[in-house]
Amino acid sequence: PIYYQEASIILKQASDKEFAPVFFGCDGMDGILQVENFDVKLAEGLMLLTPFAADATDDLTVNFVKSYEEAYGETPIQFAAKGLRVSVASISEDKCRKLPAIIKAAMEEANVTPDMSASDICDAMEGVMTQIKVDGLTGSNMSWTEDGEPEKDPKAVQVVDGAYKAME
């Protein structure tokens, strides 16, 4: 696994040597189309696993992409979606509406209350993590093993006509 900056160099070197394999990578390559001075034609056909596809049609993704594009003027990649997932607002009277779905689901399953100590909250949430399933921006049908490893439905994208396209 490598990140998109290094991958852009590899794709350029492969092209220079007239080496044209089918490239398949991991989520770290998500962002290659935004590398400064990179010829995106070199990434045509590239496939990669990623927890996020901006062209997905579910309401959560559509709304996130629209808001992101309005705010930043570009289409988000998986790193932007993951950034949203971990941006936690304080717990307040808004019933945790900004709290990530994973933490919120675990808190609800564990019957966490405001009067609990931090230690008790952690113990209660740890005990229920293997019992919850969450659909979110970076994965559907997410669950966790006893070792804390996430499991979720895989997603992949392919670069088609200079843009990421969700693979089915």
Side-chain angles (χ1 to χ4, degrees), residues 15-54:
S15 174
D16 290 349
K17 298 291 183 185
E18 298 180 2
F19 181 59
V22 174
F23 286 98
F24 188 91
C26 62
D27 62 348
M29 292 177 75
D30 193 354
I32 196 165
L33 300 179
Q34 288 84 13
V35 172
E36 190 173 337
N37 299 319
F38 176 67
D39 181 358
V40 296
K41 291 182 277 184
L42 298 176
E44 193 66 23
L46 168 72
M47 295 176 280
L48 60 121
L49 295 174
T50 181
F52 176 77

Side-chain angles (χ1 to χ4, degrees), residues 17-162:
K17 298 291 183 185
E18 298 180 2
F19 181 59
V22 174
F23 286 98
F24 188 91
C26 62
D27 62 348
M29 292 177 75
D30 193 354
I32 196 165
L33 300 179
Q34 288 84 13
V35 172
E36 190 173 337
N37 299 319
F38 176 67
D39 181 358
V40 296
K41 291 182 277 184
L42 298 176
E44 193 66 23
L46 168 72
M47 295 176 280
L48 60 121
L49 295 174
T50 181
F52 176 77
D55 65 343
T57 58
D58 62 280
D59 289 343
L60 187 59
T61 301
V62 169
N63 292 333
F64 172 69
V65 170
K66 181 180 181 224
S67 296
Y68 191 92
E69 287 176 342
E70 288 172 357
Y72 300 103
E74 64 184 25
T75 302
I77 60 173
Q78 63 100 8
F79 295 110
K82 283 182 177 178
L84 173 73
R85 183 182 71 202
V86 297
S87 61
V88 179
S90 63
I91 299 172
S92 63
E93 69 279 351
D94 69 357
K95 307 268 188 211
C96 305
R97 72 180 167 81
K98 293 183 180 176
L99 199 58
I102 298 162
I103 296 172
K104 182 177 182 290
M107 291 174 75
E108 288 173 347
E109 183 69 25
N111 296 312
V112 168
T113 59
D115 62 327
M116 295 172 71
S117 70
S119 180
D120 288 343
I121 291 171
C122 288
D123 290 343
M125 289 175 61
E126 183 179 15
V128 301
M129 285 303 297
T130 59
Q131 300 169 25
I132 63 172
K133 285 194 183 271
V134 178
D135 290 328
L137 192 57
T138 59
S140 57
N141 208 26
M142 290 184 281
S143 62
W144 288 263
T145 68
E146 288 184 19
D147 296 334
E149 292 295 322
E151 295 180 346
K152 57 187 171 180
D153 295 340
K155 291 182 184 178
V157 296
Q158 184 171 26
V159 176
V160 178
D161 296 328

